[in-house]
Amino acid sequence: MKKLLEISLGVVTSVGGFLEVGSMATAAQAGAAFGFQLIWAIVLGTICIIFLVEMAGRFAAMSHHTISEGIRERFGFNVFLWPLLVVLLVNFMVLSAEIGGVAIALELATGIGFQWWALPVALLAWLLLWKGTFGFIEKGVSVLGLVTLCFVVGSVMLKPDWTAVAGGAVPSLPAHDAINYWFMASSILGASISPYLFMFYSSGAIEDKWDESHLGANRAIAGLGMTFGGTISIGVLIVAALVLATRGIDQVDDYHQLPLMLIPIFGFWGFVLFVASLAIACFGAALEVGLQQAYLVAQGFGWTWGEDRKPRDDPGFSAVYTASLFLAAIPIVLGLDPLRLTIFSMAVTAASLPLTVVPFLFLLNDERYVGEHRNGIISNAAVIFIIALAFVLAVVTIPLQIFGGT
Amino acid sequence: MAHPTRAVPHNDRHFPVGCLCLLLILAGLAGCSSSNQVAQQSRTAASAAQTVSMVLDAWVEGAAPSAYATAALHSVGKTLADVEAQIRSAEIAEPAGRAGLTAAVNSLSVAVAHAEAELRVNNRTEVKSAQQDLRAAMRSLAAAYTSAFGPKP
Amino acid sequence: MELMRDLLDKQVFDRRRVKIGKVDGVVAELRRGKPPRIVAIELGSITLARRLGARPGEWMAQLATRVGGKRHAEPHRIAWKKAQDNGLDIECDIEVGETSIFAWQDWLRDHVIGRIPGA
């Protein structure tokens, strides 16, 4: 029974991880511009992240080390420096975008400009990390995050042609705006396959003191949890396709357009639900990315770390998330458009994937870490596929952004 | 004894790479020809106009708060002004077509600004009248687009 | 024993299972005709900087001296006879409080983190 509860919590936790400003914005843009055609990108991204998350969890449960620790220990500091610096930079942008997402939600709710909300949001996030425990944060955000199910409910209420939806899950070539189509596909993949997600998951496994007995739960949480998040993203896409595209709005490049998705379905409550969904999903993600910055640095250098500890017991760890949160708020305070920043950071994430995904092939086959639970043929095939995909994305994303992105 | 002079540039190793980059950039830019840009901007204007229309409908039904509606219109208004400036400055083969598009986008901007002003003072009747102007402007944009580029994809 | 694989970059614990850092460097004695003998492991930013190159190592040493004083000009060394390799980690029979490894963390706690309420 306890395991069941753990699994359900784990599943719901994907909301703060999988569903955040990046997945919401890219899904909305894709739905408005290409209808159901890009559903396959969300499906593909979800399948990839399921494999990566399961592996990250298995690695942590068996070795009691996180993926970040594994990368340094297995490849040496000189090699580790590259993923370290790149991920710190990418996470910084994503964190900024998440703070921006909460700030936009608050601007929509109150009329006060998003620039004014950036520091208060960073402060609240900091306070929760400073005083809260890992379990409290995990459970709190997860339960509140259930509000995002409104997109799934909304998409069902719109009575889409489900065969057309299923058709969208199969990759197809675009009828128009090819460059834009492929740019959106790569951004969706960057939003789904985020390094902070699987790194945070492996850190979380250590925080929750997982061991070999958790391997089954790990598989369930990875599979169901990421599917849960992916389904909500598809819900956002369907809603955008049926509400915006059908009314001639095929370009989502202004965050003011986003609440319009739910208003025709739920009336004024649609506005409220959207604001709440955006605020909670982004806030949860801000907590996770902020923590992950600290995890990455502390684990990379061997410091004491742990969200359940008092800050004075792990000063290096606490200093990193404190600095990260307030530094990441600055671009938003200065007025950088959060929607633009989001799309850009998703593209950069996609381009940076090889650095964090290649280690999986080595770490998960190393029996000194995972014992007899090394990757099977399917997992290894999946990793190789993801690595190939990562290299393709690394090469095409930035040019696509230059020539086709908004 | 004379040394043979080098007839090729010293950086001939870099030359092919630089040439390749230039070709890629040119290929990309070719995709962004002037008339393509004007078409793209017009579609942006149409999408923006529909956004305004939706916001106003929602506000009239009481489903969108005034502060949000005003901010949305203000933001879209800036987009439209930007589009108008871009179309004006683009050089395409048919100045007549461009003039039609510019005029249409301009009347869109005017309608949006009118609606925004009436929103701020909560004047429902005037907002509804602004909606009519907006719809008329959207129709004229669609007509100008079709005559310049053919039907929308 | 493959130094790179088995020793470098492993997590180091002290006697009380406190995480004190990673094996940033290894000090070995070269012997003629015999494999090198490990003398000590090294921790700290200076060692790490040296792994990136001689010049970064010098800069880091200068920075450490300027910030912390002459005693911080050398990296932290733990004698190999006090260390035990237990698979994935290295456990050392020392008390981290008796070394200066946590000097910067203590400074951070006393001057920054500890001053913020709720720490």
Side-chain angles (χ1 to χ4, degrees):
Chain A
M1 186 59 208
K2 181 165 178 274
K3 275 276 157 71
L4 201 61
L5 192 62
E6 263 186 51
I7 293 179
S8 1
L9 270 173
V11 168
V12 176
T13 311
S14 77
V15 171
F18 195 117
L19 191 76
E20 33 72 58
V21 74
S23 42
M24 285 171 87
T26 51
Q29 278 199 339
F34 295 101
F36 299 149
Q37 254 194 310
L38 278 166
I39 290 181
W40 65 266
I42 301 181
V43 171
L44 179 62
T46 306
I47 294 175
C48 290
I49 196 65
I50 288 177
F51 276 102
L52 291 173
V53 162
E54 187 279 327
M55 285 188 260
R58 180 166 22 113
F59 184 82
M62 291 303 300
S63 68
H64 302 291
H65 284 222
T66 64
I67 290 285
S68 318
E69 288 172 335
I71 298 179
R72 170 154 180 200
E73 289 164 21
R74 178 69 175 69
F75 295 98
F77 178 71
N78 292 32
V79 170
F80 172 72
L81 198 57
W82 293 106
L84 174 69
L85 292 175
V86 170
V87 173
L88 280 176
L89 184 64
V90 171
N91 279 357
F92 174 80
M93 284 189 252
V94 174
L95 183 56
S96 214
E98 304 300 342
I99 294 176
V102 186
I104 294 179
L106 290 169
E107 177 188 297
L108 292 171
T110 61
I112 300 173
F114 69 80
Q115 292 163 264
W116 295 102
W117 290 109
L119 282 174
V121 167
L123 186 65
L124 182 62
W126 172 82
L127 200 61
L128 278 175
L129 292 184
W130 193 254
K131 295 300 286 175
T133 60
F134 189 79
F136 171 76
I137 292 172
E138 208 180 14
K139 295 175 179 64
V141 170
S142 311
V143 169
L144 289 175
L146 288 171
V147 74
T148 55
L149 281 171
C150 64
F151 281 101
V152 179
V153 172
S155 68
V156 171
M157 283 171 67
L158 287 171
K159 296 204 199 353
D161 176 5
W162 291 107
T163 6
V165 171
V170 176
S172 57
L173 291 174
H176 59 95
D177 282 327
I179 294 184
N180 201 19
Y181 179 84
W182 291 109
F183 174 71
M184 282 195 192
S186 71
S187 302
I188 289 178
L189 288 169
S192 315
I193 315 176
S194 319
Y196 87 81
L197 228 184
F198 51 77
M199 287 181 157
F200 181 84
Y201 188 85
S202 82
S203 303
I206 304 292
E207 294 269 33
D208 285 335
K209 300 186 179 32
W210 279 12
D211 57 33
E212 194 168 348
S213 69
H214 287 87
L215 289 183
N218 172 50
R219 267 195 296 271
I221 293 174
L224 295 173
M226 299 301 117
T227 305
F228 189 65
T231 307
I232 303 179
S233 291
I234 294 179
V236 175
L237 187 151
I238 294 178
V239 168
L242 294 179
V243 172
L244 298 180
T246 49
R247 284 176 178 73
I249 303 175
D250 55 8
Q251 286 178 31
V252 173
D253 42 24
D254 184 332
Y255 61 82
H256 294 95
Q257 293 172 294
L258 298 172
L260 292 173
M261 286 193 279
L262 292 178
I263 292 179
I265 314 175
F266 299 110
F268 176 69
W269 283 106
F271 185 82
V272 173
L273 283 168
F274 175 80
V275 168
S277 300
L278 184 66
I280 293 173
C282 294
F283 191 72
L287 290 174
E288 283 195 22
V289 182
L291 263 181
Q292 180 48 36
Q293 293 285 62
Y295 284 142
L296 182 59
V297 176
Q299 290 161 14
F301 292 102
W303 305 342
T304 309
W305 57 272
E307 174 53 10
D308 292 348
R309 294 166 179 269
K310 295 177 88 64
R312 58 186 314 112
D313 295 334
D314 45 20
F317 176 72
S318 336
V320 175
Y321 67 67
T322 304
S324 298
L325 278 169
F326 288 105
L327 285 174
I330 293 176
I332 307 300
V333 172
L334 295 177
L336 195 58
D337 183 288
L339 186 59
R340 282 213 168 77
L341 175 62
T342 299
I343 302 300
F344 181 73
S345 62
M346 292 304 114
V348 175
T349 302
S352 74
L353 279 176
L355 285 169
T356 43
V357 172
V358 168
F360 275 78
L361 191 58
F362 298 91
L363 292 173
L364 268 295
N365 285 302
D366 193 332
E367 59 196 3
R368 289 173 303 150
Y369 287 100
V370 289
E372 63 205 14
H373 293 280
R374 292 158 52 177
N375 271 359
I377 295 214
I378 298 183
S379 291
N380 273 333
V383 176
I384 292 175
F385 172 79
I386 296 172
I387 291 175
L389 181 64
F391 275 104
V392 169
L393 285 173
V395 170
V396 304
T397 303
I398 302 296
L400 281 177
Q401 156 110 67
I402 296 175
F403 293 125
T406 39
Chain B
M1 190 162 66
H3 290 279
T5 45
R6 289 202 62 161
V8 291
H10 288 278
N11 55 346
D12 61 346
R13 243 182 325 125
H14 300 297
F15 178 65
V17 176
C19 191
L20 190 61
C21 288
L22 195 63
L23 278 174
L24 274 173
I25 293 172
L26 282 175
L29 286 174
C32 314
S33 73
S34 243
S35 91
N36 251 342
Q37 271 184 326
V38 171
Q40 178 58 45
Q41 293 289 338
S42 312
R43 287 199 293 272
T44 304
S47 182
Q50 295 285 7
T51 303
V52 172
S53 183
M54 233 185 127
V55 170
L56 290 174
D57 286 341
W59 180 82
V60 161
E61 287 165 29
S66 295
Y68 158 69
T70 323
L73 260 62
H74 189 78
S75 181
V76 173
K78 283 199 282 202
T79 306
L80 284 172
D82 195 50
V83 164
E84 195 182 331
Q86 298 256 17
I87 297 181
R88 259 187 227 281
S89 67
E91 296 178 10
I92 59 171
E94 292 174 22
R98 183 178 51 157
L101 286 168
T102 324
V105 174
N106 186 270
S107 53
L108 272 177
S109 293
V110 168
V112 170
H114 181 206
E116 189 191 332
E118 300 306 334
L119 262 181
R120 284 185 197 275
V121 297
N122 245 311
N123 194 330
R124 281 177 81 93
T125 354
E126 280 301 310
V127 167
K128 289 194 183 169
S129 133
Q131 274 181 298
Q132 306 248 18
D133 297 340
L134 185 68
R135 281 185 217 118
M138 293 199 300
R139 282 193 293 272
S140 77
L141 176 65
Y145 186 92
T146 317
S147 81
F149 301 108
K152 256 182 88 170
Chain C
M1 180 163 81
E2 265 192 35
L3 267 181
M4 291 295 286
R5 232 183 53 171
D6 289 352
L7 200 47
L8 268 180
D9 298 305
K10 290 274 177 297
Q11 179 73 52
V12 182
F13 289 90
D14 81 345
R15 198 184 289 148
R16 295 208 243 144
R17 287 297 290 185
V18 173
K19 287 189 170 134
I20 59 179
K22 297 244 193 272
V23 177
D24 297 319
V26 170
V27 182
E29 181 195 327
L30 297 170
R31 300 178 295 184
R32 207 182 295 231
K34 286 196 265 183
R37 187 173 68 96
I38 300 176
V39 171
I41 56 174
E42 275 192 358
L43 280 70
S45 51
I46 302 177
T47 320
L48 270 182
R50 280 190 191 149
R51 278 171 74 178
L52 296 176
R55 204 125 32 105
E58 278 169 33
W59 291 339
M60 191 54 86
Q62 285 171 9
L63 181 64
T65 319
R66 204 172 310 177
V67 170
K70 264 236 150 74
R71 56 204 165 92
H72 286 138
E74 287 299 320
H76 311 288
R77 242 176 229 199
I78 301 175
W80 181 237
K81 59 180 186 280
K82 295 212 166 185
Q84 190 178 309
D85 185 344
N86 50 6
L88 294 176
D89 305 320
I90 307 285
E91 239 182 77
C92 291
D93 186 23
I94 58 165
E95 278 271 344
V96 67
E98 288 165 10
T99 68
S100 63
I101 295 175
F102 277 2
W104 70 272
Q105 295 212 36
D106 292 334
W107 183 92
L108 199 59
R109 174 188 310 121
D110 298 334
H111 292 86
V112 182
I113 301 293
R115 295 233 176 113
I116 304 174

